[in-house]
Amino acid sequence: MKMNPLRISQFMNSNSDKFYSSYKLSDALADDKFSESAKMPETVTEEKQNEGPAETPKESRNIVLTGFGGLKTLKVLKKPEPKPAEGEVLISVKACGLNFVDLMVRQGVLEHPPKTPLTIGFECAGDVEAVGENTEGFAVNDRVIGFINYGAWGEKVTVQAKYVYKMPSNMSYQDGSALPMNYLAAYIMLFDIGNLKKGMTVFSHNIGGGVGNALGQLCKTVEDVNLYGTASEHKHEAVKDNVTNVFNRTSDYCQEVRKLSPEGVDIVLDCMCGEDTNKGISLLKPMGKYILYGSSNIVTGETKSFFSFAKSWWQVDKVSPIKLYDENKTISGFQLRNLAFQQNQDAYIRGVMNELFKLYTQGKIHPVIDSSYAFEDIADAMMKMHDRKNIGKLILDPTMEPKPKVQSAPSVEGASPPDQNKDDKEENKDGVVNGEQQ
């Protein structure tokens, strides 16, 4: 099709201003962009010069659970130092407490395990290094105890102020880190749940551990209280002054208790569960109280055992409310961390801590410290607790130097070195108790 030259000429004339304006606008924008791009390097360079070299963030060491399983899931790692948020306190940690529940956390046998990786641990003691905004009652350099739902095993730890407690002037950092998990539990179970009074009889398992030593000392604050307990045989001599009678944990302790107290006992404190639950309930006298506060029977090896877990659950008989009604017995459960962090009983717990501080100042209670370990030696500390060789509290000290690692040399000159992967192969085997394969 042919175009009329006259029409083309008219169209070009009528739109020439538009084309020219469009050209000028785009040209101006291009010039502006070029001008800005030419200026940008100078501006950035000037800003960088004003900023100076970037500061290297401070780091602190933490014991981190990298996954569930054996001892090698625990690593000492450096992380950026935390800063206290509003309502928090930053603690420079001097001592941390190790508890049996930490072994259960590592194995992943808790009903609601945490997500990994994370810094574990529930209690620590140290000095206040900084205080968050709108946080009252604490100042830098205050000597304090921190109670936290995971995260206590670090050189620097932030804790909500409502779970931070000023230590008495005569309390050491080790004693402070031994107080929350053991003495809070023992005091609440004896006095607030068990209603301990003059002339009562108490039975408890693991009387040589941290909670057991706390129970022994607290029972002595009430007149004419008998305390019976179980412990590994090698602990009997060390705990005999804390208890009325101590029995071997593998013996028929029910029969032994009945010989001493034919009617039974007033309070049973059970951290074992499994078959020991049924035995504990059977030991109660009328108006007696059974209190379950742990389930250590499910921990039999270095890693989680589904057989042990199922066995412990299966061995617990169904409890008939009518039978409890007929026999005038009470069954209770106590989980300190849930009480504090899930059920928000921080004010109640602070009141109990204040009572414990009074007893400590009066010399009526004093934590029994078994030994202290460097962060890097956490595996040794856990194995000692797992094998039930500790008498009292195990402490983790971030200021301690780790033990030198001993490397075994080949027994024959020129022989190949020992299998480097042997520990990894053995790590996932269950049933290692006291160094013997079960």
Side-chain angles (χ1 to χ4, degrees), residues 276-288:
D276 291 290
T277 296
N278 308 323
K279 294 178 180 179
I281 296 173
S282 72
L283 279 176
L284 291 177
K285 64 170 60 171
M287 303 294 289

PDB file of all heavy atoms in Angstrom, residues 276-288:
ATOM      1  N   ASP A 276      10.379 -48.610  90.115  1.00  0.00           N
ATOM      2  CA  ASP A 276      10.516 -47.960  91.421  1.00  0.00           C
ATOM      3  C   ASP A 276       9.280 -47.144  91.793  1.00  0.00           C
ATOM      4  O   ASP A 276       9.061 -46.844  92.967  1.00  0.00           O
ATOM      5  CB  ASP A 276      11.756 -47.061  91.425  1.00  0.00           C
ATOM      6  CG  ASP A 276      13.044 -47.871  91.374  1.00  0.00           C
ATOM      7  OD1 ASP A 276      13.359 -48.526  92.379  1.00  0.00           O
ATOM      8  OD2 ASP A 276      13.705 -47.877  90.321  1.00  0.00           O
ATOM      9  N   THR A 277       8.475 -46.788  90.814  1.00  0.00           N
ATOM     10  CA  THR A 277       7.231 -46.068  91.105  1.00  0.00           C
ATOM     11  C   THR A 277       6.283 -46.946  91.917  1.00  0.00           C
ATOM     12  O   THR A 277       5.748 -46.526  92.953  1.00  0.00           O
ATOM     13  CB  THR A 277       6.540 -45.633  89.797  1.00  0.00           C
ATOM     14  OG1 THR A 277       7.391 -44.696  89.121  1.00  0.00           O
ATOM     15  CG2 THR A 277       5.202 -44.978  90.072  1.00  0.00           C
ATOM     16  N   ASN A 278       6.077 -48.161  91.462  1.00  0.00           N
ATOM     17  CA  ASN A 278       5.177 -49.070  92.173  1.00  0.00           C
ATOM     18  C   ASN A 278       5.693 -49.382  93.576  1.00  0.00           C
ATOM     19  O   ASN A 278       4.918 -49.441  94.543  1.00  0.00           O
ATOM     20  CB  ASN A 278       5.025 -50.375  91.377  1.00  0.00           C
ATOM     21  CG  ASN A 278       4.648 -50.125  89.929  1.00  0.00           C
ATOM     22  OD1 ASN A 278       3.886 -49.217  89.634  1.00  0.00           O
ATOM     23  ND2 ASN A 278       5.193 -50.921  89.027  1.00  0.00           N
ATOM     24  N   LYS A 279       7.011 -49.570  93.699  1.00  0.00           N
ATOM     25  CA  LYS A 279       7.595 -49.843  95.012  1.00  0.00           C
ATOM     26  C   LYS A 279       7.411 -48.651  95.945  1.00  0.00           C
ATOM     27  O   LYS A 279       7.110 -48.808  97.134  1.00  0.00           O
ATOM     28  CB  LYS A 279       9.077 -50.168  94.869  1.00  0.00           C
ATOM     29  CG  LYS A 279       9.377 -51.470  94.130  1.00  0.00           C
ATOM     30  CD  LYS A 279      10.881 -51.689  93.992  1.00  0.00           C
ATOM     31  CE  LYS A 279      11.191 -52.974  93.250  1.00  0.00           C
ATOM     32  NZ  LYS A 279      12.653 -53.177  93.091  1.00  0.00           N
ATOM     33  N   GLY A 280       7.603 -47.452  95.396  1.00  0.00           N
ATOM     34  CA  GLY A 280       7.477 -46.246  96.208  1.00  0.00           C
ATOM     35  C   GLY A 280       6.077 -46.060  96.757  1.00  0.00           C
ATOM     36  O   GLY A 280       5.889 -45.733  97.935  1.00  0.00           O
ATOM     37  N   ILE A 281       5.085 -46.271  95.910  1.00  0.00           N
ATOM     38  CA  ILE A 281       3.695 -46.120  96.355  1.00  0.00           C
ATOM     39  C   ILE A 281       3.360 -47.154  97.424  1.00  0.00           C
ATOM     40  O   ILE A 281       2.640 -46.874  98.390  1.00  0.00           O
ATOM     41  CB  ILE A 281       2.738 -46.238  95.154  1.00  0.00           C
ATOM     42  CG1 ILE A 281       2.979 -45.079  94.171  1.00  0.00           C
ATOM     43  CG2 ILE A 281       1.279 -46.247  95.606  1.00  0.00           C
ATOM     44  CD1 ILE A 281       2.211 -45.185  92.869  1.00  0.00           C
ATOM     45  N   SER A 282       3.917 -48.355  97.269  1.00  0.00           N
ATOM     46  CA  SER A 282       3.639 -49.417  98.253  1.00  0.00           C
ATOM     47  C   SER A 282       4.238 -49.103  99.618  1.00  0.00           C
ATOM     48  O   SER A 282       3.788 -49.642 100.634  1.00  0.00           O
ATOM     49  CB  SER A 282       4.174 -50.760  97.745  1.00  0.00           C
ATOM     50  OG  SER A 282       5.596 -50.795  97.804  1.00  0.00           O
ATOM     51  N   LEU A 283       5.257 -48.247  99.667  1.00  0.00           N
ATOM     52  CA  LEU A 283       5.909 -47.909 100.933  1.00  0.00           C
ATOM     53  C   LEU A 283       5.134 -46.872 101.750  1.00  0.00           C
ATOM     54  O   LEU A 283       5.431 -46.671 102.922  1.00  0.00           O
ATOM     55  CB  LEU A 283       7.322 -47.362 100.672  1.00  0.00           C
ATOM     56  CG  LEU A 283       8.437 -48.382 100.424  1.00  0.00           C
ATOM     57  CD1 LEU A 283       9.736 -47.670 100.089  1.00  0.00           C
ATOM     58  CD2 LEU A 283       8.620 -49.282 101.647  1.00  0.00           C
ATOM     59  N   LEU A 284       4.163 -46.216 101.146  1.00  0.00           N
ATOM     60  CA  LEU A 284       3.456 -45.134 101.837  1.00  0.00           C
ATOM     61  C   LEU A 284       2.569 -45.660 102.959  1.00  0.00           C
ATOM     62  O   LEU A 284       1.857 -46.648 102.801  1.00  0.00           O
ATOM     63  CB  LEU A 284       2.589 -44.353 100.848  1.00  0.00           C
ATOM     64  CG  LEU A 284       3.309 -43.504  99.785  1.00  0.00           C
ATOM     65  CD1 LEU A 284       2.289 -42.865  98.857  1.00  0.00           C
ATOM     66  CD2 LEU A 284       4.188 -42.441 100.423  1.00  0.00           C
ATOM     67  N   LYS A 285       2.597 -44.968 104.071  1.00  0.00           N
ATOM     68  CA  LYS A 285       1.652 -45.224 105.145  1.00  0.00           C
ATOM     69  C   LYS A 285       0.374 -44.433 104.858  1.00  0.00           C
ATOM     70  O   LYS A 285       0.358 -43.582 103.950  1.00  0.00           O
ATOM     71  CB  LYS A 285       2.239 -44.810 106.491  1.00  0.00           C
ATOM     72  CG  LYS A 285       2.514 -43.330 106.638  1.00  0.00           C
ATOM     73  CD  LYS A 285       2.864 -42.923 108.066  1.00  0.00           C
ATOM     74  CE  LYS A 285       4.079 -43.595 108.600  1.00  0.00           C
ATOM     75  NZ  LYS A 285       4.507 -43.011 109.916  1.00  0.00           N
ATOM     76  N   PRO A 286      -0.729 -44.665 105.548  1.00  0.00           N
ATOM     77  CA  PRO A 286      -1.936 -43.845 105.343  1.00  0.00           C
ATOM     78  C   PRO A 286      -1.621 -42.356 105.503  1.00  0.00           C
ATOM     79  O   PRO A 286      -0.863 -41.958 106.386  1.00  0.00           O
ATOM     80  CB  PRO A 286      -2.877 -44.342 106.448  1.00  0.00           C
ATOM     81  CG  PRO A 286      -2.438 -45.747 106.702  1.00  0.00           C
ATOM     82  CD  PRO A 286      -0.950 -45.740 106.532  1.00  0.00           C
ATOM     83  N   MET A 287      -2.165 -41.545 104.607  1.00  0.00           N
ATOM     84  CA  MET A 287      -1.934 -40.109 104.516  1.00  0.00           C
ATOM     85  C   MET A 287      -0.545 -39.790 103.947  1.00  0.00           C
ATOM     86  O   MET A 287      -0.099 -38.643 103.979  1.00  0.00           O
ATOM     87  CB  MET A 287      -2.105 -39.421 105.875  1.00  0.00           C
ATOM     88  CG  MET A 287      -3.465 -39.644 106.520  1.00  0.00           C
ATOM     89  SD  MET A 287      -4.800 -38.873 105.559  1.00  0.00           S
ATOM     90  CE  MET A 287      -4.487 -37.149 105.878  1.00  0.00           C
ATOM     91  N   GLY A 288       0.123 -40.823 103.418  1.00  0.00           N
ATOM     92  CA  GLY A 288       1.447 -40.613 102.841  1.00  0.00           C
ATOM     93  C   GLY A 288       1.384 -39.997 101.446  1.00  0.00           C
ATOM     94  O   GLY A 288       0.364 -40.068 100.755  1.00  0.00           O
TER      95      GLY A 288
END
